[in-house]
Amino acid sequence: MGGEAMFEVIKAGLETAVQDYPGRIGYWNQGFPPSGPMDSWSFRLANVLVGNEPGEAALECQFVGPELRFHRDTVVAVTGGDMQPRLDGEPIELWTSVAVKKGQTLTLSYARTGARGYIAIAGGIRTEPWLGSRSTFHKAGVGGFEGGALKEGQQVPLGDAQGTPGLRVKDAARPTIVTDKRWLVEVTAGPNDDWLDEAGRKLFLETDWKLSPKSDRTGYRLDGPGDRITFADKAINKRPEHGSIPSNIIDQGYPNGAVNLAGETPIILVKDGPSMGGFINPYTVPTVGFWKLGQARPGEVLRLTEISVDEAQKQAVEMTRICSGESLESA
Amino acid sequence: MASEHTVEAQLPGVFYRRPSPEADEYVKEGDKVSAGDTLGLIELMKSYHEVKADASGKVKKFLIENEGEVQPGEGIAVLLSE
């Protein structure tokens, strides 16, 4: 019957949406981005806490969280930025699995640290998958619940599982959400780092870029001296099909996480970003740096630091190891 | 007795006191507002979110200038209630 296996949206928060990990994989060539959580580290651990697979569908809350009433007993966990979660008005611990009784209300407020909070529920969210994923792709109005972010009054279906309350994520396994407004974000060189000259690459990596409020799950705009980036000869003396300005290149595929140089503005292409276009991507943010974008706020500083592809892969494997039951202990 | 109340930002972003560049300010210092009245907008995630007064009173002063950057928990305006 399933009529009771759900939660009700009392307040939606700011574009609170169903996501799963790694998201909608395999449709990039048709223009569909992966979507999924911006901070996959916090997201996966929320699921692990309630006994789900790390990639199970859960909620991503952005800046201001939702208020949800549960229509059955379950276990929940809230991770990521501190949105001051409360159960029936009583504060609950972040990074901890908590028993919820039928009829209780979980309320998240604004993010006191970071930018995104994650709510996982034992059994996961059981919305209808679209192209193999439950992730919400806001711009196209697909995935998620009824094609978009949560709305007041919706009844969202849940899977059936028990979960264990009273587990917590060990301190060492939690991502560090900065409070000094400065993020050091790992990047790997390329695919188009050779379109910049040495001074241009140096400027990219030695600038305190400021995250613009004109940033969302499509792209993260970086304010700074983008007009002073200098280019290699191949960016200037090039065939006309590459376009007229130095950062133009003949249309190419974009990696997710690309640091795209759109004219004079670097834009990091994130989870709902475009699959292709005609600007160069001098750097790419790999998994190990990407979660930080999910927690950075407008006005904060992003400093890009280059690591090798080998190192990025090693650290991604390490993150997957951390996002498992071995990071849990009794609260 | 008059008491002061600070309206705090819940969102990070850029604060605007007008609905559009050509429009008048939502409220001026010295104006009286009721709980729920719009004091300004915060730009975040390519959209604009209203900042509402969470109490009634006279606007004593704005703590953030127009187009100033704001972080959650920072004061936006001080209200003076009687």
Side-chain angles (χ1 to χ4, degrees):
Chain A
M1 294 298 289
E4 299 200 337
M6 61 173 134
F7 65 80
E8 181 184 348
V9 181
I10 310 293
K11 283 186 191 161
L14 187 55
E15 290 188 16
T16 303
V18 178
Q19 302 292 351
D20 58 10
Y21 178 85
R24 191 165 288 110
I25 301 300
Y27 301 93
W28 201 221
N29 60 339
Q30 294 168 52
F32 279 100
S35 301
M38 287 290 299
D39 170 3
S40 72
W41 186 343
S42 298
F43 179 91
R44 285 183 279 176
L45 280 171
N47 271 319
V48 169
L49 273 166
V50 299
N52 293 346
E53 288 296 317
E56 188 59 78
L59 293 179
E60 177 173 87
C61 313
Q62 308 191 89
F63 299 100
V64 173
E67 185 173 330
L68 312 173
R69 184 179 297 136
F70 287 85
H71 287 213
R72 72 135 207 253
D73 293 358
T74 188
V75 171
V76 303
V78 184
T79 64
D82 181 6
M83 292 187 161
Q84 312 165 68
R86 288 171 180 267
L87 189 61
D88 277 356
E90 290 298 312
I92 59 170
E93 290 288 322
L94 288 170
W95 304 100
T96 303
S97 61
V98 177
V100 173
K101 293 277 173 217
K102 181 178 176 176
Q104 284 195 304
T105 301
L106 177 68
T107 308
L108 272 63
S109 179
Y110 69 86
R112 198 156 49 182
T113 63
R116 286 177 179 80
Y118 294 93
I119 305 172
I121 303 151
I125 294 172
R126 283 283 172 271
T127 46
E128 209 51 51
W130 190 78
L131 294 182
S133 164
R134 294 188 166 88
S135 283
T136 308
F137 178 26
H138 300 264
K139 292 260 154 70
V142 298
F145 190 49
E146 297 171 352
L150 295 190
K151 293 188 192 79
E152 200 179 302
Q154 286 176 330
Q155 315 260 349
V156 182
L158 293 173
D160 196 15
Q162 296 300 315
T164 307
L167 300 173
R168 70 191 290 277
V169 176
K170 294 173 190 169
D171 292 341
R174 302 176 186 187
T176 302
I177 294 172
V178 305
T179 51
D180 65 354
K181 304 181 180 186
R182 295 183 65 85
W183 295 88
L184 194 60
V185 177
E186 292 84 351
V187 293
T188 54
N192 309 123
D193 54 313
D194 58 339
W195 282 53
L196 304 183
D197 66 3
E198 202 184 324
R201 290 192 295 267
K202 195 170 144 78
L203 185 75
F204 238 105
L205 299 175
E206 293 183 1
T207 291
D208 284 347
W209 298 100
K210 203 158 87 172
L211 181 59
S212 160
K214 292 177 174 52
S215 300
D216 63 6
R217 287 179 46 93
T218 302
Y220 271 40
R221 236 166 230 275
L222 305 182
D223 291 334
D227 58 335
R228 291 201 280 115
I229 291 168
T230 47
F231 294 86
D233 183 61
K234 71 189 294 183
I236 297 157
N237 299 309
K238 58 190 174 188
R239 295 168 64 94
E241 57 266 35
H242 281 303
S244 54
I245 61 172
S247 64
N248 277 150
I249 191 168
I250 192 163
D251 279 14
Q252 58 171 352
Y254 286 166
N256 208 233
V259 184
N260 186 247
L261 186 55
E264 296 178 342
T265 307
I267 302 176
I268 307 177
L269 305 176
V270 291
K271 286 294 158 192
D272 297 344
S275 59
M276 62 173 294
F279 287 115
I280 59 168
N281 300 304
Y283 296 95
T284 303
V285 181
T287 303
V288 58
F290 198 98
W291 71 269
K292 298 174 183 178
L293 303 176
Q295 296 299 350
R297 301 167 171 180
E300 293 187 335
V301 167
L302 304 185
R303 190 78 183 237
L304 308 179
T305 182
E306 188 179 332
I307 63 170
S308 68
V309 171
D310 273 356
E311 182 61 23
Q313 289 175 340
K314 229 180 275 174
Q315 293 202 36
V317 169
E318 172 65 5
M319 196 189 294
T320 298
R321 187 189 66 76
I322 289 171
C323 293
S324 71
E326 68 181 79
S327 293
L328 303 186
E329 61 187 12
S330 292
Chain B
M1 205 178 78
S3 68
E4 288 190 357
H5 171 78
T6 301
V7 181
E8 291 178 354
Q10 299 223 324
L11 299 174
V14 175
F15 178 67
Y16 296 90
R17 285 186 54 188
R18 305 165 192 271
S20 66
E22 305 77 30
D24 289 341
E25 292 169 340
Y26 283 103
V27 292
K28 295 184 173 59
E29 290 179 354
D31 287 355
K32 280 192 174 160
V33 297
S34 303
D37 285 356
T38 301
L39 301 180
L41 300 171
I42 290 176
E43 182 186 16
L44 173 69
M45 295 202 296
K46 294 187 188 169
S47 50
Y48 295 88
H49 307 273
E50 290 183 340
V51 179
K52 294 193 184 281
D54 52 358
S56 301
K58 194 158 98 171
V59 180
K60 186 181 173 193
K61 63 174 172 182
F62 277 92
L63 301 172
I64 306 276
E65 63 191 62
N66 188 47
E67 298 189 31
E69 279 181 21
V70 65
Q71 289 290 330
E74 281 182 0
I76 295 263
V78 179
L79 304 181
L80 207 57
S81 65
E82 283 152 28

